[in-house]
Amino acid sequence: SSGINAEYGGDPYTGSLSNLTELLEYVLNFSSTVSHSDQVRTLHFNAVWNLPGIPPAFRQFVFSSQKYTDRIMNIYSDLHEVQTTISDISLLKKQDLDWLSDEGHGKIQGIGVCLASCQKKLTKKFGSASISEIEEVYEEFRESSSDLEDEIEDVLEKERKYEDQEEMYLLNAGHMTYLARQNWEGYCTASQDHPVPVYLENRGPGQEIRYRHSEVYIRSRDYPGEVMCLGRNYYGVFWKSESYVYPPYCSWTLAHSSDFRKRVLEYGDHFVLSNVNWPSFMMGLDKTGSWVLAVQGDSGDSVTWLLKKS
């Protein structure tokens, strides 16, 4: 330690190695002056494990406290992971997480402020703690990262949630065009620039739209009293007055396009819509991406849809 003492102006230890309390106080006071030096770790390992004559009680005392020091380092690492998550959410807000509202994003940023405060508080307490206090610091901050992660997930869960009759846009994943207005013959079109707001109405009880179980009507406030139907004996999809429809022709079930374990529809999901009366027919688009059709068989992304917040 003489080289570090000389470099940082520390006083050499002149007491007895058998006086454990006095020795530990010296180590703590000394390390507080050189904690920013890379040589401190080397000094620590040499002193604790390699130098002959160190009392076994000293080794055991430092080892038992070292486990808390290591755990505190893990807390720092976990908090850094939370910081990375918050940064990733901000970067993806205009892409994969475009369902995240400005209000929801603001809440995530607020969690980031709490995270920075937690990191500063941990650094301050850890830097000033004596050996006997390190365990208390660990216990105080051990759940910090998981608590912050739970807060983030709570915000994201509420933002992802879709409920019966919530207005949104339907976007086709293959052509990146939206469900749009009907043409003069009454058939549905698709457009990148002029989407029609729609909503799913659960024909059964409950507000959740459940994959493979819920039967839904597709409605729009632009077409009051009408539902989206599949025509008999041809492949057109169109709006029709609910008073004149046979319900199975105009009812649809949903299936997640890749995750068969997913149970409830959320924003960000990719899904297919199958007609209740003709379950082999799915709502899709023609090759131009301009017309909404009933498509039979595996047509990939042309029959895959996403919810977009209106």
Side-chain angles (χ1 to χ4, degrees), residues 143-208:
E143 302 294 338
S144 297
S145 61
S146 59
D147 289 344
L148 292 168
E149 287 173 349
D150 288 345
E151 289 183 35
I152 292 172
E153 184 54 38
D154 183 58
V155 173
L156 296 181
E157 183 180 351
K158 291 178 180 177
E159 290 283 318
R160 282 194 301 260
K161 189 175 184 179
Y162 177 82
E163 291 188 341
D164 168 63
Q165 302 188 40
E166 181 180 341
E167 196 167 68
M168 48 74 190
Y169 299 116
L170 272 176
L171 176 68
N172 185 271
H175 296 276
M176 300 307 291
T177 51
Y178 293 93
L179 197 70
R181 292 190 172 278
Q182 61 185 6
N183 71 350
W184 64 274
E185 293 180 297
Y187 295 107
C188 290
T189 64
S191 167
Q192 290 183 335
D193 304 317
H194 304 289
V196 167
V198 297
Y199 61 93
L200 304 181
E201 180 183 87
N202 197 346
R203 295 193 62 213
Q207 291 184 303
E208 291 183 336

Side-chain angles (χ1 to χ4, degrees), residues 91-110:
L91 288 174
L92 294 173
K93 185 180 182 299
K94 293 184 179 180
Q95 300 174 36
D96 294 341
L97 301 183
D98 59 359
W99 43 264
L100 181 61
S101 67
D102 289 340
E103 180 182 359
H105 186 236
K107 291 179 180 178
I108 297 294
Q109 295 298 100

Side-chain angles (χ1 to χ4, degrees), residues 38 40 54 60 66 81 96 144 168 170 175 191 195 210 222-223 251 270 272 294 300 303 308 310:
D38 292 337
V40 171
I54 299 297
Q60 178 60 35
Q66 183 66 29
E81 288 296 321
D96 294 341
S144 297
M168 48 74 190
L170 272 176
H175 296 276
S191 167
R210 299 180 65 83
D222 287 6
Y223 301 103
S251 302
H270 287 59
V272 296
V303 296
K308 293 292 180 178
S310 59

Side-chain angles (χ1 to χ4, degrees), residues 4-214:
I4 300 178
N5 263 318
E7 182 178 351
Y8 294 96
D11 296 325
Y13 179 66
T14 58
S16 171
L17 286 178
S18 62
N19 189 333
L20 182 58
T21 303
E22 183 180 343
L23 176 59
L24 291 177
E25 286 302 321
Y26 166 76
V27 171
L28 285 172
N29 292 333
F30 171 70
S31 63
S32 67
T33 67
V34 297
S35 58
H36 59 285
S37 169
D38 292 337
Q39 300 175 60
V40 171
R41 284 187 177 273
T42 302
L43 173 66
H44 169 77
F45 283 105
N46 283 338
V48 176
W49 305 116
N50 300 327
L51 293 181
I54 299 297
F58 176 75
R59 292 176 185 268
Q60 178 60 35
F61 188 87
V62 173
F63 178 79
S64 63
S65 298
Q66 183 66 29
K67 68 180 180 181
Y68 291 105
T69 301
D70 291 341
R71 289 174 180 176
I72 287 175
M73 292 301 102
N74 290 335
I75 292 175
Y76 274 112
S77 177
D78 292 341
L79 290 175
H80 179 72
E81 288 296 321
V82 177
Q83 187 175 13
T84 300
T85 298
I86 292 174
S87 298
D88 289 345
I89 289 172
S90 295
L91 288 174
L92 294 173
K93 185 180 182 299
K94 293 184 179 180
Q95 300 174 36
D96 294 341
L97 301 183
D98 59 359
W99 43 264
L100 181 61
S101 67
D102 289 340
E103 180 182 359
H105 186 236
K107 291 179 180 178
I108 297 294
Q109 295 298 100
I111 295 172
V113 173
C114 294
L115 167 65
S117 175
C118 178
Q119 288 171 318
K120 290 180 181 179
K121 187 177 180 181
L122 173 59
T123 299
K124 182 177 180 181
K125 287 204 170 187
F126 182 46
S128 61
S130 65
I131 286 181
S132 62
E133 295 171 331
I134 290 178
E135 182 177 352
E136 295 178 12
V137 175
Y138 167 71
E139 292 295 335
E140 180 179 351
F141 291 91
R142 62 183 298 184
E143 302 294 338
S144 297
S145 61
S146 59
D147 289 344
L148 292 168
E149 287 173 349
D150 288 345
E151 289 183 35
I152 292 172
E153 184 54 38
D154 183 58
V155 173
L156 296 181
E157 183 180 351
K158 291 178 180 177
E159 290 283 318
R160 282 194 301 260
K161 189 175 184 179
Y162 177 82
E163 291 188 341
D164 168 63
Q165 302 188 40
E166 181 180 341
E167 196 167 68
M168 48 74 190
Y169 299 116
L170 272 176
L171 176 68
N172 185 271
H175 296 276
M176 300 307 291
T177 51
Y178 293 93
L179 197 70
R181 292 190 172 278
Q182 61 185 6
N183 71 350
W184 64 274
E185 293 180 297
Y187 295 107
C188 290
T189 64
S191 167
Q192 290 183 335
D193 304 317
H194 304 289
V196 167
V198 297
Y199 61 93
L200 304 181
E201 180 183 87
N202 197 346
R203 295 193 62 213
Q207 291 184 303
E208 291 183 336
I209 307 298
R210 299 180 65 83
Y211 286 119
R212 299 178 300 277
H213 294 288
S214 296

